[in-house]
Amino acid sequence: ADRIDRIDKVERADRVCKELAALAVKALLDEAALFPKPGLVDPVSQGAHSDMDFATLVRSAAALQQGFYECACIGYESAASVYEPAAGLLPQPAEAVAQAHDFPAAVRKRLRIAGLELEKAMFAETRGVNTHKGAVFIFAYLLGAAGRLFGMDAASCCSEGAAVSSYRAASEAAFSAGQDGIQTERLCAEVRRLAAGLFEEDMARAG
């Protein structure tokens, strides 16, 4: 039973993170397909960009999907490091406070590495053209935060004794209905928490 539960948890995490990555890629494709966008690339014009066209944006977006998946996984796994429902363990108060304090820096470090790999994948696909560097930065944090929230919800659900199948059904119903699955306000709050020390860290690194 424990082995089946572990397999189910892994499959659930994989499914959620793949869906989040697919949504991020869809957002990039939807933006590229918008028409008209004066001065910007759209399906019928390069706008003011001589180094890219619509096909370039499509290829670039597709090349980012695996890296987006990894960003979502980083967030999801960070929740699993705090909750261990399969073992019936929850952190003691002092431990929980320490983990809550340390988690943003640890996740930022992993997201930074994933983001750099995403940039490499983008430049390799576009032959050095910067198509989505800003989107890589934004989506790395959005996906990390979203993955963490879904992971926290899954762990909390299981730790309270709810059936895993119930959580799966609720998540799949939200996705199929086109809903976020998590509230926008909650996602924004998690992004703020995750990025809170980013400026200070980058300044220290630059200095």
Side-chain angles (χ1 to χ4, degrees):
D2 288 344
R3 182 173 179 273
I4 293 174
D5 182 59
R6 286 195 299 271
I7 292 173
D8 191 86
K9 286 167 58 182
V10 170
E11 290 179 348
R12 181 173 66 248
D14 180 67
R15 182 171 58 253
V16 168
C17 292
K18 282 181 177 176
E19 182 69 21
L20 289 171
L23 288 172
V25 171
K26 182 179 183 299
L28 295 181
L29 294 175
D30 287 348
E31 188 280 330
L34 286 175
F35 174 82
K37 298 197 301 283
L40 300 177
V41 175
D42 61 37
V44 301
S45 171
Q46 290 180 256
H49 297 273
S50 60
D51 57 349
M52 69 180 80
D53 57 16
F54 180 70
T56 312
L57 294 180
V58 172
R59 293 199 315 272
S60 175
L64 298 177
Q65 182 146 353
Q66 180 60 32
F68 283 163
Y69 167 79
E70 292 169 5
C71 289
C73 287
I74 288 169
Y76 201 104
E77 290 166 4
S78 74
S81 69
V82 176
Y83 295 99
E84 294 293 341
L89 298 176
L90 289 176
Q92 297 301 313
E95 180 186 355
V97 170
Q99 289 177 345
H101 176 75
D102 294 340
F103 112 82
V107 175
R108 276 197 302 274
K109 182 177 180 179
R110 294 186 64 193
L111 288 176
R112 180 181 179 84
I113 294 171
L116 292 173
E117 290 302 313
L118 274 162
E119 286 187 8
K120 289 180 183 178
M122 176 192 71
F123 285 129
E125 181 62 39
T126 64
R127 298 182 180 180
V129 178
N130 176 14
T131 46
H132 291 118
K133 192 169 183 178
V136 165
F137 177 83
I138 292 169
F139 276 116
Y141 277 89
L142 280 172
L143 291 166
R148 179 171 171 80
L149 290 175
F150 274 108
M152 290 171 63
D153 287 350
S156 177
C157 175
C158 293
S159 69
E160 292 168 3
V164 170
S165 59
S166 296
Y167 177 80
R168 175 191 298 171
S171 297
E172 291 179 348
F175 282 137
S176 64
Q179 299 171 357
D180 291 340
I182 50 178
Q183 293 180 337
T184 302
E185 294 82 2
R186 190 173 168 222
L187 176 60
C188 290
E190 193 66 23
V191 171
R192 285 196 300 271
R193 182 183 180 205
L194 186 58
L198 178 63
F199 176 77
E200 291 79 4
E201 289 175 356
D202 280 354
M203 290 299 292
R205 189 179 292 110

